[in-house]
Amino acid sequence: MSLTMVERLLAERKSDYLQQLFALLKQKSISTTNEGVRECAELLLEMMKSCGIQSRLMETAGHPVVYGEWLKAENTLTVLIYGHYDVQPPDPVEEWQSPPFEPTIREGRIYCRGVGDNKGQLMAQVLAIKTYLDSFGDLPVNVKLLFEGEEENSSPHLAAFVAEHKELLACDLVYTSDGPMHGSGIPSVELGVRGILGVEMIAYGAKWDHHSGNMGNIAPNPAWMLIDLLRTMRDENGRVLIEGFYDNIRKPTAYEIDLFRKLPFNRNELIEQIGYPDIEEDSETYYRQVSLEPTFNICGFHSGYGGDGSKTIIPAKASVKMDIRLVIDQDPDDIFQKLCSHVRKYAPSINVLHQGDMRPSRTSAELEIVKVVVEGVGNAYGIDPLLVPGVGGSLPDYVWTQILGVPSVMVPYANADEANHAPNENMVVELFYKGISCTCHVLHQLGEFSKKKNDL
């Protein structure tokens, strides 16, 4: 079966599809401040229904899930498409070149909060189903869709929702389009993410700030307490010294290592991308550090006076915030307990607060169904996609691989410089259309795969 009709319909409907995306973009859905979230869910619900998808809102302890399905008894393979309709706050608003919730096209890009992360990619999935249905009258596989409204707030209720509705969500594969494409512009199929553990450590000195001369050497300085503690946690080469921190890390397979070695790498482009000149990593080292190794990052440190001029005090309080990225088979709960034990040993007066976590996830690159997705993506873009065993960021991918117990793949549709979470977030217009085409090709290829299995 040829997809010529799909491509013809897509070409005819480009303007209409763009306007549907704009309608969703204009509706605010900021989960952290609860601005327009339910309204956006209801709008998305109606859009999905108009595309021929049986859909409904499902409540969680937080923002609602928009669930949809297209099922046919003859189909023996089921794909669950995941995405999120919530967005980040637009701040700082003054740095936007156009209003953040008024989609604007400049030089072939749509600028709007949420266009890349994740409404543009989400709508590519929904409109792909409409395009395929209008082309052929049905879909080649069963499709379920789950769009949540809390991803930008660390998906606090997704795991419980999936655990409660495992029968409803039962499938053979989860397919996600989120995040940016590889910097080379080559499409990719990504198979895992790092987990994350957020902690805050707080040290207290005297009950109030003191004059740094009159009470110097007398009143304790909590900033130094934290600095001394941090020195016991990490050596000069960056290795974490917390006992048991590296236990349970799964070793990559030879095939995964080979895949990382094949990924494009340009040191000069990386230097320009991050704005730091002293990058010495080669390709293998870079991908190993970003994807296969945990991090121990200080993301905030505060104590005393930080304004203009000087205020000579011994502060009464100091705090440090950390995000610790975890790799496959590291358990956030286990790492948190080990960190607490370390603090009790070296600085028992310091308080440790748990700020949230997400488990790491990995799908085997050697699964047959993964190879089918790779083929479908390649057919859509006319180039073999990169097969990436794991990426550095964190998504709630573990709910699929560990709670639902199925393989999960991520195929980003947005450009590498989408500026998600930043002012002037954008998506290349043609990549939005290409995302619609890619979803159709992947579903089609999975349908062919399912037929072959049934014929055996």
PDB file of all heavy atoms in Angstrom, residues 408-426:
ATOM      1  N   SER A 408       9.530   1.450  24.560  1.00  0.00           N
ATOM      2  CA  SER A 408       9.171   2.849  24.333  1.00  0.00           C
ATOM      3  C   SER A 408      10.219   3.500  23.440  1.00  0.00           C
ATOM      4  O   SER A 408      11.418   3.337  23.659  1.00  0.00           O
ATOM      5  CB  SER A 408       9.087   3.587  25.676  1.00  0.00           C
ATOM      6  OG  SER A 408       8.897   4.971  25.489  1.00  0.00           O
ATOM      7  N   VAL A 409       9.750   4.222  22.429  1.00  0.00           N
ATOM      8  CA  VAL A 409      10.663   4.947  21.539  1.00  0.00           C
ATOM      9  C   VAL A 409      10.268   6.412  21.504  1.00  0.00           C
ATOM     10  O   VAL A 409       9.095   6.760  21.647  1.00  0.00           O
ATOM     11  CB  VAL A 409      10.655   4.374  20.105  1.00  0.00           C
ATOM     12  CG1 VAL A 409      11.120   2.925  20.095  1.00  0.00           C
ATOM     13  CG2 VAL A 409       9.275   4.494  19.469  1.00  0.00           C
ATOM     14  N   MET A 410      11.265   7.266  21.313  1.00  0.00           N
ATOM     15  CA  MET A 410      11.042   8.699  21.187  1.00  0.00           C
ATOM     16  C   MET A 410      11.599   9.167  19.852  1.00  0.00           C
ATOM     17  O   MET A 410      12.759   8.889  19.534  1.00  0.00           O
ATOM     18  CB  MET A 410      11.715   9.448  22.342  1.00  0.00           C
ATOM     19  CG  MET A 410      11.073   9.176  23.691  1.00  0.00           C
ATOM     20  SD  MET A 410      12.128   9.600  25.093  1.00  0.00           S
ATOM     21  CE  MET A 410      13.246   8.191  25.071  1.00  0.00           C
ATOM     22  N   VAL A 411      10.773   9.855  19.077  1.00  0.00           N
ATOM     23  CA  VAL A 411      11.182  10.367  17.771  1.00  0.00           C
ATOM     24  C   VAL A 411      10.880  11.862  17.745  1.00  0.00           C
ATOM     25  O   VAL A 411       9.743  12.264  17.481  1.00  0.00           O
ATOM     26  CB  VAL A 411      10.443   9.648  16.627  1.00  0.00           C
ATOM     27  CG1 VAL A 411      10.929  10.166  15.276  1.00  0.00           C
ATOM     28  CG2 VAL A 411      10.651   8.134  16.717  1.00  0.00           C
ATOM     29  N   PRO A 412      11.854  12.709  18.065  1.00  0.00           N
ATOM     30  CA  PRO A 412      11.604  14.158  18.111  1.00  0.00           C
ATOM     31  C   PRO A 412      11.315  14.715  16.721  1.00  0.00           C
ATOM     32  O   PRO A 412      11.951  14.313  15.741  1.00  0.00           O
ATOM     33  CB  PRO A 412      12.919  14.728  18.665  1.00  0.00           C
ATOM     34  CG  PRO A 412      13.640  13.563  19.276  1.00  0.00           C
ATOM     35  CD  PRO A 412      13.219  12.371  18.494  1.00  0.00           C
ATOM     36  N   TYR A 413      10.384  15.650  16.651  1.00  0.00           N
ATOM     37  CA  TYR A 413      10.039  16.313  15.400  1.00  0.00           C
ATOM     38  C   TYR A 413      10.520  17.769  15.358  1.00  0.00           C
ATOM     39  O   TYR A 413      10.553  18.374  14.291  1.00  0.00           O
ATOM     40  CB  TYR A 413       8.520  16.303  15.184  1.00  0.00           C
ATOM     41  CG  TYR A 413       7.903  14.943  14.974  1.00  0.00           C
ATOM     42  CD1 TYR A 413       6.541  14.737  15.172  1.00  0.00           C
ATOM     43  CD2 TYR A 413       8.673  13.848  14.574  1.00  0.00           C
ATOM     44  CE1 TYR A 413       5.950  13.492  14.974  1.00  0.00           C
ATOM     45  CE2 TYR A 413       8.089  12.594  14.383  1.00  0.00           C
ATOM     46  CZ  TYR A 413       6.733  12.426  14.584  1.00  0.00           C
ATOM     47  OH  TYR A 413       6.159  11.189  14.401  1.00  0.00           O
ATOM     48  N   ALA A 414      10.841  18.353  16.497  1.00  0.00           N
ATOM     49  CA  ALA A 414      11.202  19.772  16.540  1.00  0.00           C
ATOM     50  C   ALA A 414      12.681  19.979  16.217  1.00  0.00           C
ATOM     51  O   ALA A 414      13.514  19.106  16.465  1.00  0.00           O
ATOM     52  CB  ALA A 414      10.878  20.359  17.910  1.00  0.00           C
ATOM     53  N   ASN A 415      13.001  21.128  15.683  1.00  0.00           N
ATOM     54  CA  ASN A 415      14.379  21.479  15.344  1.00  0.00           C
ATOM     55  C   ASN A 415      15.257  21.546  16.584  1.00  0.00           C
ATOM     56  O   ASN A 415      14.781  21.809  17.694  1.00  0.00           O
ATOM     57  CB  ASN A 415      14.427  22.824  14.601  1.00  0.00           C
ATOM     58  CG  ASN A 415      13.407  23.827  15.103  1.00  0.00           C
ATOM     59  OD1 ASN A 415      12.208  23.637  14.887  1.00  0.00           O
ATOM     60  ND2 ASN A 415      13.869  24.863  15.775  1.00  0.00           N
ATOM     61  N   ALA A 416      16.545  21.306  16.400  1.00  0.00           N
ATOM     62  CA  ALA A 416      17.488  21.239  17.520  1.00  0.00           C
ATOM     63  C   ALA A 416      17.543  22.551  18.292  1.00  0.00           C
ATOM     64  O   ALA A 416      17.774  22.558  19.506  1.00  0.00           O
ATOM     65  CB  ALA A 416      18.879  20.876  17.011  1.00  0.00           C
ATOM     66  N   ASP A 417      17.332  23.680  17.608  1.00  0.00           N
ATOM     67  CA  ASP A 417      17.389  24.989  18.267  1.00  0.00           C
ATOM     68  C   ASP A 417      15.991  25.531  18.529  1.00  0.00           C
ATOM     69  O   ASP A 417      15.724  26.715  18.343  1.00  0.00           O
ATOM     70  CB  ASP A 417      18.205  25.976  17.428  1.00  0.00           C
ATOM     71  CG  ASP A 417      17.659  26.145  16.009  1.00  0.00           C
ATOM     72  OD1 ASP A 417      16.783  25.352  15.602  1.00  0.00           O
ATOM     73  OD2 ASP A 417      18.100  27.069  15.300  1.00  0.00           O
ATOM     74  N   GLU A 418      15.105  24.675  19.023  1.00  0.00           N
ATOM     75  CA  GLU A 418      13.719  25.075  19.257  1.00  0.00           C
ATOM     76  C   GLU A 418      13.560  26.055  20.421  1.00  0.00           C
ATOM     77  O   GLU A 418      12.520  26.678  20.574  1.00  0.00           O
ATOM     78  CB  GLU A 418      12.848  23.851  19.512  1.00  0.00           C
ATOM     79  CG  GLU A 418      13.246  23.063  20.764  1.00  0.00           C
ATOM     80  CD  GLU A 418      12.266  21.950  21.119  1.00  0.00           C
ATOM     81  OE1 GLU A 418      11.062  22.127  20.898  1.00  0.00           O
ATOM     82  OE2 GLU A 418      12.722  20.920  21.627  1.00  0.00           O
ATOM     83  N   ALA A 419      14.588  26.172  21.263  1.00  0.00           N
ATOM     84  CA  ALA A 419      14.543  27.093  22.414  1.00  0.00           C
ATOM     85  C   ALA A 419      13.377  26.774  23.348  1.00  0.00           C
ATOM     86  O   ALA A 419      12.742  27.689  23.885  1.00  0.00           O
ATOM     87  CB  ALA A 419      14.477  28.552  21.955  1.00  0.00           C
ATOM     88  N   ASN A 420      13.116  25.490  23.546  1.00  0.00           N
ATOM     89  CA  ASN A 420      12.060  25.133  24.491  1.00  0.00           C
ATOM     90  C   ASN A 420      12.460  25.565  25.899  1.00  0.00           C
ATOM     91  O   ASN A 420      13.627  25.539  26.261  1.00  0.00           O
ATOM     92  CB  ASN A 420      11.769  23.629  24.449  1.00  0.00           C
ATOM     93  CG  ASN A 420      13.006  22.762  24.581  1.00  0.00           C
ATOM     94  OD1 ASN A 420      14.099  23.175  24.224  1.00  0.00           O
ATOM     95  ND2 ASN A 420      12.840  21.553  25.075  1.00  0.00           N
ATOM     96  N   HIS A 421      11.504  26.015  26.653  1.00  0.00           N
ATOM     97  CA  HIS A 421      11.662  26.550  28.013  1.00  0.00           C
ATOM     98  C   HIS A 421      12.284  27.950  28.007  1.00  0.00           C
ATOM     99  O   HIS A 421      12.479  28.532  29.068  1.00  0.00           O
ATOM    100  CB  HIS A 421      12.515  25.628  28.909  1.00  0.00           C
ATOM    101  CG  HIS A 421      11.894  24.323  29.213  1.00  0.00           C
ATOM    102  ND1 HIS A 421      12.200  23.579  30.340  1.00  0.00           N
ATOM    103  CD2 HIS A 421      10.959  23.591  28.551  1.00  0.00           C
ATOM    104  CE1 HIS A 421      11.510  22.455  30.337  1.00  0.00           C
ATOM    105  NE2 HIS A 421      10.751  22.443  29.255  1.00  0.00           N
ATOM    106  N   ALA A 422      12.614  28.495  26.861  1.00  0.00           N
ATOM    107  CA  ALA A 422      13.276  29.798  26.774  1.00  0.00           C
ATOM    108  C   ALA A 422      12.404  30.773  25.988  1.00  0.00           C
ATOM    109  O   ALA A 422      11.440  30.359  25.334  1.00  0.00           O
ATOM    110  CB  ALA A 422      14.643  29.652  26.104  1.00  0.00           C
ATOM    111  N   PRO A 423      12.719  32.078  26.052  1.00  0.00           N
ATOM    112  CA  PRO A 423      12.011  33.024  25.192  1.00  0.00           C
ATOM    113  C   PRO A 423      12.206  32.668  23.715  1.00  0.00           C
ATOM    114  O   PRO A 423      13.221  32.080  23.328  1.00  0.00           O
ATOM    115  CB  PRO A 423      12.661  34.368  25.531  1.00  0.00           C
ATOM    116  CG  PRO A 423      13.203  34.194  26.912  1.00  0.00           C
ATOM    117  CD  PRO A 423      13.651  32.759  26.980  1.00  0.00           C
ATOM    118  N   ASN A 424      11.219  33.024  22.892  1.00  0.00           N
ATOM    119  CA  ASN A 424      11.263  32.802  21.444  1.00  0.00           C
ATOM    120  C   ASN A 424      11.336  31.324  21.076  1.00  0.00           C
ATOM    121  O   ASN A 424      12.010  30.934  20.116  1.00  0.00           O
ATOM    122  CB  ASN A 424      12.421  33.586  20.818  1.00  0.00           C
ATOM    123  CG  ASN A 424      12.311  35.073  21.105  1.00  0.00           C
ATOM    124  OD1 ASN A 424      11.299  35.696  20.813  1.00  0.00           O
ATOM    125  ND2 ASN A 424      13.339  35.633  21.727  1.00  0.00           N
ATOM    126  N   GLU A 425      10.636  30.496  21.842  1.00  0.00           N
ATOM    127  CA  GLU A 425      10.499  29.094  21.468  1.00  0.00           C
ATOM    128  C   GLU A 425       9.939  29.016  20.053  1.00  0.00           C
ATOM    129  O   GLU A 425       9.062  29.800  19.667  1.00  0.00           O
ATOM    130  CB  GLU A 425       9.557  28.391  22.449  1.00  0.00           C
ATOM    131  CG  GLU A 425       9.338  26.917  22.144  1.00  0.00           C
ATOM    132  CD  GLU A 425       8.441  26.234  23.163  1.00  0.00           C
ATOM    133  OE1 GLU A 425       8.161  26.842  24.220  1.00  0.00           O
ATOM    134  OE2 GLU A 425       8.021  25.091  22.898  1.00  0.00           O
ATOM    135  N   ASN A 426      10.444  28.068  19.271  1.00  0.00           N
ATOM    136  CA  ASN A 426      10.040  28.029  17.872  1.00  0.00           C
ATOM    137  C   ASN A 426      10.063  26.617  17.315  1.00  0.00           C
ATOM    138  O   ASN A 426      10.681  25.714  17.881  1.00  0.00           O
ATOM    139  CB  ASN A 426      10.950  28.930  17.034  1.00  0.00           C
ATOM    140  CG  ASN A 426      12.375  28.403  16.980  1.00  0.00           C
ATOM    141  OD1 ASN A 426      12.731  27.622  16.102  1.00  0.00           O
ATOM    142  ND2 ASN A 426      13.208  28.826  17.947  1.00  0.00           N
TER     143      ASN A 426
END
